[in-house]
Amino acid sequence: MNTVSDNPLDTLRELPANDRGPWLSAHADETVRHQIGQHLQALCFSDIGEAQSTSAWLIDAADAFGDQPFLCRMLCLRAFVLSVANQFDDAIRSLDRARDLAERLGDPKSQAGVAQTAVQPLVRLGRYREAIESAERAISLYEEAGDATAVARAHSNLGVVHRMLGHAEQALTHFDRALPGMEGDQGAIAQVQSNRAEALLDLVDFQQAEQAFRSALSSFQQAEMTRASAIVGGNLADLLGQQGRLSESMAFFERARTAFEEGGAEGDAARLESESAEVLSAVGLLSEAAQAASRSAEVLLAHGLRREAARALLVQGSVARRQLDLPLAMDSLTRAAAISAELGWRVGVGRANVEAARVTLDQGDLGQAEQILEDALRDLSADTQDRANALLLQAEVLRLTDRLPGAARAAFQASEVAEKLGSLPIRTRVAYEQALQAEAEGDLESALSCLEDALGAAERQRGAMQSDRARSAWTGGNRQIYEDLCDISLRLRSARSVEIAFNSVERAKSRSLLELLQRGT
């Protein structure tokens, strides 16, 4: 076959290996070179295994072709494919070869291509400063070469790095600068919109972030970009989980994880398993959460995904504490904090400190718990669910040490965060903490009112769960609210309070009976 098809990769694939170099010599004008790059990148998001195989023989063909700029481009494409496949060290080695070649050529566009491609593997390896420098170099070189589309892509990459470092406002600035240069490329626009959604999520704009994720997911699905769809689906699952929409979250996680596993992306599948472990933990399915977190942490560490591994270790530590395995909990949290500190990920350090404070509180060391929480709150400065969790634990420590005014302030601050986030799980915990504070002050009527609020919020979450096991685990995890409601109701001994206690018990019994009947038991 000596003609050029709409997809030159198909033409090259059908040729004997020794004929590919000569074919490129005869046909590889700029249009064909561009098509090769486009089709290989598209292949990454539909069949990563085939993309790896194709990029390997493309290097051999480019060597035989002998055109140095084309070889440099193929080395960058090979690095891109390896990075998508979570083989980051191999990607860096391919880029080292490409960089040497580009420097010898003295070609700004080739040098820019190397710098641009290096951003993703450097980020995934936690080398953020080098990633920023590489992205800024790519922008400068592409501007020098007058390539507006490439400048847009470089701004998008730089935005991703800033977002991962917690610089959401800077990230949005770069994403907004990228969009005009991507007009007409729906796949690229969808990717930038997905990245914008993550930055909006960091700024706690849940509504806009969800809309952006769903829009990007729809665009990727229409373009049959399976891997990109899985990435955005996983991000959407994470967002829904943070809002307490647990059934929706788990459904998106499962679809995305399956897509990654089928595509051979073991590292990304492990990342999603780690994130789903957080949701399983929130529901109260602790055994499943522990297994998912443990499995994913080891895989993520093996793939060099250290930030994602730290997140899995945080879940492992949190679940181990709730399962009363305090040595494992502290070991996991210490490892998570160390990795997060090495990466400069302050949120990760803050999360680890909150959980470590819980462990020390369980051990009865209230003073140490309070000191650890002070460190955590410095790292968790934004209005996020993590900060609300830290404030609620601070309120508990202050209440247990008879400093009720301080406890009330901390609970109120947590409630403000919960309202901003629209988070039912946090609202439930705030109302329960306020009930315990009112009880400590001897105000049983206020305590009862707060417990009713807590129970109402907890049951709304329970009602949103489709799985019987999830509903049962959730009820078990919130059992103390039911017990305290009945206890305080009976202690008040008023007609209203006794009726509340009776109705609460009967409602729980009726719901259990109804669920048994629905299962046909």
Side-chain angles (χ1 to χ4, degrees):
M1 180 179 292
N2 295 317
T3 60
V4 182
S5 70
D6 291 337
N7 183 346
L9 279 184
D10 289 342
T11 301
L12 285 165
R13 187 178 288 108
E14 294 175 9
L15 291 173
N18 291 337
D19 291 343
R20 288 168 180 160
W23 186 94
L24 288 169
S25 298
H27 299 287
D29 58 18
E30 188 56 36
T31 299
V32 169
R33 297 177 191 215
H34 181 67
Q35 288 175 333
I36 288 172
Q38 279 192 318
H39 287 297
L40 182 57
Q41 287 179 336
L43 189 60
C44 278
F45 297 108
S46 59
D47 189 338
I48 187 60
E50 181 62 26
Q52 290 182 74
S53 174
T54 299
S55 66
W57 59 251
L58 269 173
I59 297 296
D60 294 336
D63 268 327
F65 177 19
D67 183 284
Q68 298 301 290
F70 181 74
L71 174 58
C72 185
R73 187 183 299 188
M74 292 303 101
L75 287 165
C76 288
L77 283 169
R78 170 70 172 164
F80 175 79
V81 171
L82 291 168
S83 185
V84 171
N86 299 154
Q87 298 178 29
F88 306 116
D89 290 327
D90 289 339
I92 293 295
R93 281 190 283 272
S94 182
L95 286 168
D96 287 341
R97 182 182 172 192
R99 185 178 297 105
D100 290 342
L101 183 57
E103 293 299 327
R104 290 200 302 272
L105 289 170
D107 174 27
K109 197 164 185 177
S110 295
Q111 294 167 356
V114 176
Q116 169 84 322
T117 310
V119 175
Q120 183 182 21
L122 287 171
V123 165
R124 299 300 292 274
L125 288 169
R127 295 160 60 178
Y128 297 116
R129 180 176 296 179
E130 293 173 72
I132 288 176
E133 292 172 353
S134 195
E136 290 174 341
R137 176 171 167 77
I139 291 171
S140 177
L141 288 166
Y142 278 133
E143 287 176 341
E144 181 182 340
D147 190 335
T149 301
V151 169
R153 291 198 302 270
H155 273 296
S156 177
N157 271 3
L158 185 52
V160 170
V161 182
H162 279 299
R163 191 202 67 77
M164 293 189 73
L165 288 173
H167 310 152
E169 294 284 3
Q170 286 176 267
L172 285 172
T173 297
H174 287 289
F175 293 145
D176 289 341
R177 293 179 69 178
L179 283 171
M182 294 179 170
E183 187 174 356
D185 188 341
Q186 291 303 312
I189 290 172
Q191 184 61 63
V192 174
Q193 290 290 11
S194 173
N195 291 331
R196 288 188 78 256
E198 294 190 57
L200 289 164
L201 182 57
D202 292 340
L203 294 172
V204 203
D205 191 341
F206 278 17
Q207 183 176 8
Q208 292 296 322
E210 181 178 347
Q211 290 176 2
F213 275 139
R214 290 188 183 276
S215 175
L217 179 60
S218 176
S219 296
F220 282 136
Q221 288 174 336
Q222 290 175 16
E224 297 183 349
M225 298 174 70
T226 306
R227 183 184 175 85
S229 298
I231 291 171
V232 176
N235 290 337
L236 180 56
D238 198 14
L239 166 59
L240 295 170
Q242 289 188 48
Q243 291 178 296
R245 296 157 64 181
L246 302 176
S247 295
E248 290 179 88
S249 174
M250 292 305 298
F252 275 106
F253 269 131
E254 183 59 26
R255 287 197 291 270
R257 187 181 62 79
T258 300
F260 278 131
E261 287 180 342
E262 291 176 350
E266 187 180 20
D268 279 314
R271 175 178 58 80
L272 283 178
E273 185 173 33
S274 168
E275 293 173 4
S276 68
E278 293 182 356
V279 177
L280 291 167
S281 173
V283 171
L285 296 169
L286 299 185
S287 178
E288 293 178 30
Q291 293 172 13
S294 177
R295 281 194 306 264
S296 59
E298 296 308 314
V299 175
L300 290 165
L301 286 169
H303 281 76
L305 300 174
R306 300 175 68 222
R307 173 168 167 161
E308 292 83 353
R311 186 170 176 177
L313 287 166
L314 284 169
V315 179
Q316 187 176 45
S318 174
V319 172
R321 181 192 67 80
R322 293 162 67 186
Q323 292 179 319
L324 305 182
D325 188 344
L326 300 188
L328 174 60
M330 193 57 83
D331 178 68
S332 300
L333 296 171
T334 301
R335 292 172 65 195
I339 294 171
S340 299
E342 289 172 5
L343 296 177
W345 184 32
R346 291 184 60 190
V347 171
V349 176
R351 289 177 181 174
N353 276 331
V354 171
E355 290 300 326
R358 293 184 192 279
V359 174
T360 57
L361 184 60
D362 290 344
Q363 293 171 329
D365 192 342
L366 277 68
Q368 181 68 13
E370 185 173 0
Q371 290 179 14
I372 295 173
L373 279 171
E374 289 175 0
D375 292 336
L377 285 165
R378 280 194 290 271
D379 286 318
L380 303 172
S381 56
D383 284 340
T384 62
Q385 187 160 289
D386 292 316
R387 182 169 179 80
N389 287 331
L391 287 166
L392 280 167
L393 189 56
Q394 184 183 57
E396 182 177 350
V397 171
L398 291 169
R399 171 173 50 79
L400 292 172
T401 52
D402 297 321
R403 289 174 285 173
L404 294 178
R409 283 194 298 273
F412 178 73
Q413 291 171 5
S415 72
E416 290 184 316
V417 177
E419 289 303 314
K420 185 173 183 179
L421 298 179
S423 171
L424 269 178
I426 297 297
R427 287 176 183 170
T428 303
R429 292 183 54 211
V430 166
Y432 183 63
E433 173 59 34
Q434 290 173 332
L436 296 180
Q437 291 176 16
E439 181 185 15
E441 292 177 332
D443 187 351
L444 297 187
E445 287 286 356
S446 294
L448 181 59
S449 176
C450 290
L451 284 169
E452 287 183 283
D453 290 342
L455 185 58
E459 290 193 335
R460 285 199 296 278
Q461 293 168 78
R462 182 181 186 278
M465 298 176 191
Q466 298 172 355
S467 161
D468 291 334
R469 292 180 62 252
R471 286 197 294 268
S472 176
W474 177 260
T475 300
N478 289 273
R479 181 181 60 195
Q480 196 63 47
I481 300 175
Y482 290 88
E483 293 181 357
D484 287 355
L485 180 68
C486 290
D487 176 60
I488 290 178
S489 296
L490 294 174
R491 284 162 60 190
L492 278 168
R493 296 182 177 276
S494 69
R496 174 180 173 275
S497 67
V498 171
E499 183 180 4
I500 288 173
F502 177 80
N503 288 340
S504 175
V505 172
E506 286 300 310
R507 183 169 50 184
K509 288 167 58 181
S510 297
R511 181 176 291 107
S512 298
L513 177 59
L514 177 59
E515 289 171 1
L516 286 171
L517 291 172
Q518 288 173 335
R519 293 198 298 271
T521 303

